[in-house]
Amino acid sequence: MLLQATGGHGAREEAEPKKLKLYSYWLSSCSCRVRIGLDLKGLEYEYVAVNFPEGEQQTPEFLKLNPMGYVPVLVDGDIVLADSFAILLYLDEKFPQHPLLPKDSVRRAINFQAANVISSSIQPRQLMLQHMREKLGPQEAIACAQDDIRTGFAALEKLLKDYAGRYATGNEVFLVDLFLAPQIHAAITRFKVEMDEFPLLSRLFEAYMELPAFQDNMPGKQPDTPAEHRV
């Protein structure tokens, strides 16, 4: 049964009437991006937990929402969106408060490029981790994921070095920051990547962890976070 929780992750002040529903899994970095985006925009929503270990993502109920069987899924009235990139762009167009993209065309393009490094180059191997464990063994599977993360992080260090301010592309939080924070968190906590060789990303992560919208939406603080992983 899908677990539902309301409130908590939306605006800390006056919130719009609740109408959004987010299907999420506590450990999903894709879901984490959207949770942060919703929080930054001050949007109240209903959190519906999808239990991946129990296979709820493959139930007929969930597959009607996303035939791919992945989270996040955002439901806004009759609109159903099932991709974190698409969800965030949709939210940014519909709810203009706290824009997720800079006005400058170059910095906007850098946001897209850096976000795609994470979603298209780093993350795919992580999504195959269980299959890789079965084929290669746990140590080899983690090593492969670590290699992809290090390669991607090295590229991101080079890409962002001329654009970064307090955050990845200046002194305001934008789209790429929502992609970076969960990925860096996963690299450190799940994949045990040493961050010493990535000073820029390490500095950015420290800045993210000073912001409540990032703190409150990390995996350890979700309604469905197992007790042993809560922080």
Side-chain angles (χ1 to χ4, degrees):
M1 179 181 294
L2 301 177
L3 174 114
Q4 295 184 315
T6 59
H9 292 270
R12 293 178 174 77
E13 299 177 359
E14 292 295 325
E16 297 184 7
K18 185 186 67 179
K19 58 182 176 180
L20 299 172
K21 182 181 291 189
L22 180 69
Y23 289 79
S24 179
Y25 176 55
W26 70 279
L27 197 57
S28 162
S29 61
C30 297
S31 298
C32 185
R33 298 167 193 159
V34 175
R35 295 193 300 258
I36 295 169
L38 286 163
D39 206 334
L40 287 171
K41 287 183 172 291
L43 298 172
E44 185 179 349
Y45 64 96
E46 181 180 356
Y47 185 109
V48 184
V50 181
N51 191 319
F52 269 60
E54 293 187 4
E56 288 182 351
Q57 73 278 18
Q58 294 299 328
T59 62
E61 176 188 6
F62 186 76
L63 291 174
K64 288 180 182 177
L65 299 171
N66 183 7
M68 292 295 292
Y70 293 151
V71 290
V73 173
L74 182 79
V75 178
D76 180 12
D78 295 331
I79 309 250
V80 179
L81 297 171
D83 174 84
S84 63
F85 221 134
I87 290 169
L88 288 168
L89 294 180
Y90 170 78
L91 291 173
D92 207 34
E93 289 196 15
K94 183 167 183 179
F95 303 101
Q97 64 269 29
H98 194 115
L100 297 179
L101 290 169
K103 293 181 179 179
D104 178 77
S105 60
V106 174
R107 290 181 185 272
R108 190 162 58 247
I110 294 298
N111 269 265
F112 289 134
Q113 183 177 346
N116 272 308
V117 169
I118 294 167
S119 63
S120 299
S121 299
I122 297 176
Q123 196 170 32
R125 192 85 67 107
Q126 294 173 202
L127 296 174
M128 296 175 59
L129 193 59
Q130 184 57 43
H131 176 73
M132 291 165 60
R133 283 195 181 107
E134 295 170 359
K135 294 293 184 181
L136 303 175
Q139 295 302 319
E140 291 80 1
I142 290 292
C144 287
Q146 288 174 334
D147 287 344
D148 285 346
I149 292 169
R150 291 192 184 99
T151 299
F153 279 8
L156 288 166
E157 287 268 326
K158 294 177 181 177
L159 175 63
L160 298 174
K161 66 181 178 63
D162 293 330
Y163 298 97
R166 179 159 181 77
Y167 306 112
T169 54
N171 293 322
E172 297 179 64
V173 170
F174 288 120
L175 181 75
V176 63
D177 300 299
L178 279 59
F179 279 70
L180 280 170
Q183 182 59 66
I184 298 171
H185 180 273
I188 295 169
T189 60
R190 293 175 59 194
F191 299 103
K192 311 304 179 186
V193 172
E194 294 292 337
M195 294 296 295
D196 292 347
E197 60 185 299
F198 309 113
L200 174 57
L201 298 185
S202 297
R203 178 178 67 75
L204 293 175
F205 189 66
E206 290 178 3
Y208 300 147
M209 290 302 99
E210 294 176 2
L211 301 175
F214 285 79
Q215 295 171 359
D216 294 347
N217 291 290
M218 288 293 110
K221 294 187 176 182
Q222 302 316 300
D224 56 328
T225 303
E228 64 272 21
H229 294 290
R230 297 195 71 82
V231 295

